[in-house]
Amino acid sequence: MRYYSTNKTSPTASLKEAVVRGLAPDRGLYMPERIATIPAAFFKHIGEMSLGDIAYVAANTLFGEDIDSSTLKNIVNDTLNFEIPLVKVDDDRYALELFHGPTLAFKDVGARFMARMLGHFNAQEGRETANSELQYKLAELKKEKFEGRVGEGLALLEELCREDKGILTETEREMENLDQKIEEENRLLGNIQHIREQRKALEAGCRQQEELREELSRAKETYENAKELKKIIAQVGATSPKEMGKVMGIASKALAGRADGKAISAKVKELLN
C-alpha cells in the first residue's frame, strides 16, 4: 500500500516511511491510496466480537498488506489493553468512553497504536524501541509547531531525541510523574465503578417497582370487573351457563373499554358454572 500527502506535492510513501516521518515533506498528512471494503459478515457478527477482534479487523483492512497478521494482532492487543465501554445514554443513543487508558485521555487509543507501529518498524532495523512513544510525541509536536501552537521547547526535545541516554532518562522521569498523576486521579475516581453499580441496582429496582405497580393495577381491574359481573348476574337472575346470553348483553356494554369480549365471556362462564 502506498500513502499520499494531503497537500499532494510530496512523493507517495510506504507505510513504514509514513509512520516514521509522521508528516509528509510538504507538511501534509499521509492518507492511503485506497481503503478496502470490510466484508458484510463483519457487521453482521460485530455484536459477538471482542474489542480487540473488532480493532484487528479494521487494522488488518488498512495495514494487512504491509504487516503480517500475528504482528499486527499483537500491536492491536497491546494498544487496547484497557476498557473502552459503550455506555447507553438513552434509547438508541450510546456513548463510547475513550478516557479509560493510562493517561485517561482519548489519545491513548491513537497515540499508543502509532507508537507501537513505530516501534515495530524501528525493531526491523535493529533500533532501540524504548523511546518510540516519545518519538511519536515529537512528530505530534512538529505538526503543532507548523500550525503555530508550540514555542521554544521543541528544539530542546529534538536535541534530547538525538541522545538516547538522555532521552531515556527523561522519559523515565516523565513516566514516573505521569504514574503519580494517574495514581492520584485513580484515587479521586476510585468510587466511579461503585457508583455505576449502585445506579444499575437502582434502575433495576425502579423497573421492578414499575412492573409490580402495573401488575397490581391489572389485578385491581380484574377484581373490579369480576365484581361488576357478579352484580349483573344477580340483576338478571342467571343461574347457569345457558343464560350467558342475557348476561353478556348487559356486561359487554357495562365493561366496554375496560375488558375485551373474550375475557368477559370467559369470566361470565366461570361465574355461572
Side-chain angles (χ1 to χ4, degrees), residues 1-15 18 23-26 28-35:
M1 174 78 77
R2 302 294 295 177
Y3 292 79
Y4 70 91
S5 168
T6 52
N7 286 335
K8 299 182 179 179
T9 60
S10 291
T12 60
S14 66
L15 175 62
L23 292 175
D26 64 2
L29 300 177
Y30 280 115
M31 292 290 291
E33 289 185 330
R34 68 183 186 282
I35 298 178

Side-chain angles (χ1 to χ4, degrees), residues 6 8 32 39 54 62 70 77 119 131 148 175 185 191 224 244:
T6 52
K8 299 182 179 179
I54 293 171
L62 292 170
S70 61
N77 290 337
N131 63 344
M175 291 302 292
E185 297 227 1
N191 290 329
E224 294 294 340
M244 276 189 64

Side-chain angles (χ1 to χ4, degrees), residues 39-270:
F42 167 80
F43 299 100
K44 183 178 180 181
H45 299 287
I46 192 170
E48 306 163 16
M49 300 169 67
S50 67
L51 171 64
D53 290 338
I54 293 171
Y56 170 70
V57 171
N60 191 56
T61 301
L62 292 170
F63 310 121
E65 293 182 18
D66 300 288
I67 302 178
D68 66 86
S69 58
S70 61
T71 299
L72 188 56
K73 185 167 287 189
N74 288 336
I75 289 174
V76 170
N77 290 337
D78 191 39
T79 298
L80 302 177
N81 60 359
F82 55 90
E83 291 296 319
I84 304 180
L86 191 64
V87 179
K88 184 173 182 179
V89 177
D90 52 39
D91 291 341
D92 299 325
R93 294 181 65 189
Y94 292 80
L96 193 63
E97 293 186 347
L98 298 176
F99 51 81
H100 294 274
T103 67
L104 304 179
F106 73 93
K107 280 192 174 183
D108 279 332
V109 178
R112 283 166 61 84
F113 181 79
M114 290 302 296
R116 281 150 183 77
M117 291 275 278
L118 182 59
H120 164 69
F121 290 125
N122 281 345
Q124 285 184 334
E125 297 183 0
R127 297 176 182 172
E128 293 293 331
T129 62
N131 63 344
S132 59
E133 291 200 32
L134 192 55
Q135 288 175 349
Y136 179 70
K137 182 61 179 175
L138 176 61
E140 281 189 329
L141 286 173
K142 286 180 177 178
K143 179 176 182 294
E144 291 174 356
K145 181 182 181 183
F146 177 72
E147 295 174 353
R149 295 199 301 267
V150 173
E152 300 294 331
L154 181 61
L156 176 59
L157 182 57
E158 289 177 325
E159 183 179 344
L160 287 173
C161 284
R162 289 192 291 269
E163 301 176 7
D164 288 344
K165 292 183 180 179
I167 194 170
L168 290 176
T169 302
E170 184 68 20
T171 300
E172 289 171 358
R173 186 179 301 113
E174 291 296 325
M175 291 302 292
E176 287 178 2
N177 293 337
L178 182 59
D179 286 341
Q180 291 175 0
K181 291 179 181 178
I182 292 173
E183 185 177 350
E184 181 180 351
E185 297 227 1
N186 284 340
R187 284 198 298 269
L188 295 174
L189 300 174
N191 290 329
I192 285 182
Q193 186 61 34
H194 177 63
I195 293 172
R196 284 178 177 166
E197 291 173 356
Q198 284 187 323
R199 184 179 66 183
K200 288 180 180 178
L202 180 60
E203 289 174 349
C206 289
R207 285 194 297 270
Q208 291 176 353
Q209 189 177 41
E210 184 62 27
E211 290 170 0
L212 179 60
R213 186 181 294 111
E214 292 176 358
E215 186 176 344
L216 289 173
S217 177
R218 288 192 296 269
K220 181 180 179 182
E221 186 175 359
T222 300
Y223 171 77
E224 294 294 340
N225 290 345
K227 186 176 178 181
E228 183 71 19
L229 288 174
K230 288 179 181 179
K231 287 182 180 179
I232 295 172
I233 290 172
Q235 178 183 338
V236 301
T239 59
S240 71
K242 294 180 181 180
E243 299 175 282
M244 276 189 64
K246 295 190 295 184
V247 177
M248 287 299 296
I250 300 174
S252 296
K253 294 179 181 179
L255 299 180
R258 292 162 53 186
D260 59 37
K262 187 176 180 180
I264 295 172
S265 177
K267 191 62 181 178
V268 169
K269 186 175 181 180
E270 176 188 333

